[in-house]
């Protein structure tokens, strides 16, 4: 099956079932991981990506990554 490409202004709500640019209060976002996951579920999103502004050498990254894995995010 060939993919169907649409112009942005042709998209409908049912065409958008993901958010791949999310930031939590861990960096510069407005909500916690828990709140964002709950909202994603309410919106029936199929996929999300938490995209914090950090490098892997940061002191809190390992524990944050472990917390995300509790929700099935990796």
């Amino acid at each position: 099956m060939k993919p169907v490409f649409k112009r942005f202004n042709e998209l409908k709500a049912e065409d958008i079932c993901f958010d791949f640019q999310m930031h939590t209060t861990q960096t510069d976002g407005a909500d916690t991981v828990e709140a964002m996951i709950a909202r994603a579920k309410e919106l029936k999103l199929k996929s999300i990506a938490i995209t914090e502004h950090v490098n892997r050498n940061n002191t809190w990254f390992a524990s944050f990554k472990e917390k995300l894995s509790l929700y099935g995010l990796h």
Side-chain angles (χ1 to χ4, degrees), residues 7-23:
R7 294 178 182 271
F8 183 79
N9 61 355
E10 296 172 337
L11 293 173
K12 297 180 178 142
E14 59 268 16
D15 294 323
I16 304 168
C17 56
F18 60 87
D19 188 340
F20 292 158
Q21 179 72 26
M22 300 174 77
H23 302 277

Side-chain angles (χ1 to χ4, degrees), residues 19-23 47-52 73:
D19 188 340
F20 292 158
Q21 179 72 26
M22 300 174 77
H23 302 277
S47 298
I48 64 171
I50 306 292
T51 56
E52 305 292 9
L73 301 172

Side-chain angles (χ1 to χ4, degrees), residues 7-63:
R7 294 178 182 271
F8 183 79
N9 61 355
E10 296 172 337
L11 293 173
K12 297 180 178 142
E14 59 268 16
D15 294 323
I16 304 168
C17 56
F18 60 87
D19 188 340
F20 292 158
Q21 179 72 26
M22 300 174 77
H23 302 277
T24 71
T25 52
Q26 187 70 40
T27 57
D28 60 351
D31 283 309
T32 63
V33 170
E34 294 83 2
M36 294 181 77
I37 291 171
R39 183 65 176 143
K41 287 179 180 180
E42 287 173 17
L43 294 171
K44 296 182 172 63
L45 298 181
K46 291 182 181 177
S47 298
I48 64 171
I50 306 292
T51 56
E52 305 292 9
H53 300 286
V54 66
N55 64 47
R56 289 183 184 268
N57 296 325
N58 189 288
T59 58
W60 56 263
F61 182 81
S63 62

